[in-house]
Amino acid sequence: MSVDVVWTAEFAAKGYLQPLEGKMAIDTNGMLKAPLDAATYNGTVYAGPVNSDGGLLYYRTDLVKTPPKSWDEMMKDCDIAKQHNMDCYAGQFQKYEGLTVNASEAINTAGGSIVGDDGKTPTVDSPESATGLGRLVDAFKNGNIPKGAITYTEEEGRISFEKGDLLFLRNWPYVYSLAENDKSSKVKGKFAVAPLPGNAAGEPGASSLGGHSAGISAYSDHKATALDFIKYLESEETQRTYLEKASLAPVLEDLYNDPALNKKFPYLETLGTSIQNAIPRPVTPFYPAVTKAIQDNAYAALKGDTDVDTALKNMSDAISSASSGG
């Protein structure tokens, strides 16, 4: 079965997945740590990483000489956007899974977290989390994030960037080839990618991790065959094919340093940095309820319907209720 990185804990906790240990173990040598961590629950590998993904900062090279390394640097660069009558920054802020991704990135980059290692105890109501979510809230208030971005999913932001209306965009790697090759794109040859801005200069931001793993049903009559197929999916040949034919990020670290691949995919090395610094979305067997708590309360804060501290307290209470079966 194909297992989204946010499903591993839930499926494993419910006994749906065959643990990949002992005779069923996979070779994890050479794999990126973040995708492997996302396929692990309570110290046991339950799925084989097949493809990964990480957020990138798209920026206009004709307007910004050096990409910002910190959030504060990017906010200062918003003056450039104002000089050119552009919007400054956007990500995904509509109330859907993309907001969980963006809010988690802001919180994790600032040193906060959402749930503890047990996947149940909320940790989100903290000063660090308030700093992270507060950055997004403040940017909405002062206009560095345009008001209209409260409706943005991946595509609205991409279109704005391609039209030349946006200086910085947080999005996934798929945007690169479209912005470079779409006939309507006004930014061809005028943009590049960088790691997401960090908490301090020189420290990359913590992207939320995307991607899928392959798991084996605990009820399967063909576990050995399924294991062989997982090994095939994780082979270097298949990983190259996935990248070249489907633009899927590899889980093998060496491919990010391959000169030929970097020439063909100019964003690849930066994507590798993003994934290496990525943090999985909350690893919890109650993920549907947890992501709803994040979305509902982060959205309320971004819209100005509640303050950051209240939003985080409400988020924490909702996670606690979900984890206790409430």
Side-chain angles (χ1 to χ4, degrees):
M1 63 181 77
S2 181
V3 183
D4 189 292
V5 291
V6 301
W7 297 342
T8 306
E10 181 180 1
F11 286 8
K14 292 182 176 179
Y16 297 163
L17 295 174
Q18 165 68 42
L20 300 184
E21 56 186 358
K23 292 182 179 180
M24 297 297 291
I26 58 173
D27 182 5
T28 60
N29 290 323
M31 281 190 186
L32 291 168
K33 183 178 183 298
L36 184 60
D37 285 348
T40 303
Y41 179 63
N42 282 348
T44 298
V45 177
Y46 278 92
V50 174
N51 62 76
S52 191
D53 214 352
L56 300 172
L57 181 71
Y58 290 79
Y59 69 98
R60 289 282 298 274
T61 52
D62 57 330
L63 302 176
V64 178
K65 293 182 179 179
T66 304
K69 293 183 178 180
S70 72
W71 179 267
D72 288 344
E73 285 183 9
M74 184 168 69
M75 292 298 97
K76 289 180 181 178
D77 283 343
C78 287
D79 288 341
I80 299 172
K82 292 175 184 176
Q83 293 167 12
H84 291 84
N85 297 314
M86 301 167 65
D87 291 330
C88 182
Y89 173 77
Q92 293 78 51
F93 303 116
Q94 176 58 274
K95 190 162 66 173
Y96 78 117
E97 187 64 18
L99 179 54
T100 295
V101 167
N102 281 249
S104 296
E105 288 174 347
I107 289 169
N108 290 328
T109 293
S113 61
I114 295 170
V115 296
D117 292 339
D118 63 0
K120 300 177 181 179
T121 306
T123 57
V124 72
D125 190 4
S126 71
E128 293 82 4
S129 297
T131 295
L133 183 58
R135 286 169 175 162
L136 297 178
V137 170
D138 288 345
F140 265 101
K141 285 181 180 177
N142 64 30
N144 285 346
I145 298 177
K147 289 183 179 180
I150 197 70
T151 67
Y152 280 15
T153 66
E154 284 82 358
E155 282 298 274
E156 288 83 3
R158 175 186 71 83
I159 292 169
S160 179
F161 187 75
E162 285 190 22
K163 287 171 63 178
D165 294 338
L166 191 61
L167 187 61
F168 297 109
L169 171 67
R170 179 261 174 242
N171 216 317
W172 304 102
Y174 86 97
V175 171
Y176 196 100
S177 61
L178 293 175
E180 194 61 52
N181 297 306
D182 279 353
K183 291 181 179 179
S184 60
S185 176
K186 296 181 179 179
V187 297
K188 296 177 185 178
K190 298 179 181 179
F191 75 92
V193 294
L196 298 180
N199 198 39
E203 177 188 330
S207 168
S208 291
L209 187 72
H212 286 77
S213 303
I216 300 173
S217 170
Y219 309 102
S220 173
D221 293 328
H222 306 283
K223 292 179 180 177
T225 302
L227 180 63
D228 286 342
F229 184 59
I230 290 177
K231 292 177 180 178
Y232 162 76
L233 293 176
E234 293 175 336
S235 68
E236 181 177 332
E237 181 182 1
T238 304
Q239 290 288 299
R240 283 180 178 273
T241 300
Y242 272 157
L243 174 62
E244 294 178 334
K245 303 299 183 183
S247 296
L248 295 175
V251 297
L252 300 179
E253 187 171 1
D254 284 351
L255 294 184
Y256 289 88
N257 303 316
D258 186 292
L261 290 177
N262 272 279
K263 185 176 181 179
K264 189 171 184 179
F265 303 96
Y267 61 82
L268 190 60
E269 185 176 352
T270 303
L271 176 59
T273 299
S274 175
I275 294 172
Q276 285 173 331
N277 290 278
I279 295 177
R281 278 163 284 171
V283 178
T284 171
F286 309 102
Y287 188 80
V290 171
T291 188
K292 185 177 187 304
I294 296 169
Q295 292 169 33
D296 287 349
N297 292 288
Y299 191 73
L302 297 182
K303 287 188 69 180
D305 294 340
T306 188
D307 61 81
V308 170
D309 290 339
T310 302
L312 292 175
K313 183 183 184 305
N314 292 343
M315 194 184 298
S316 178
D317 289 346
I319 293 172
S320 182
S321 178
S323 299
S324 62

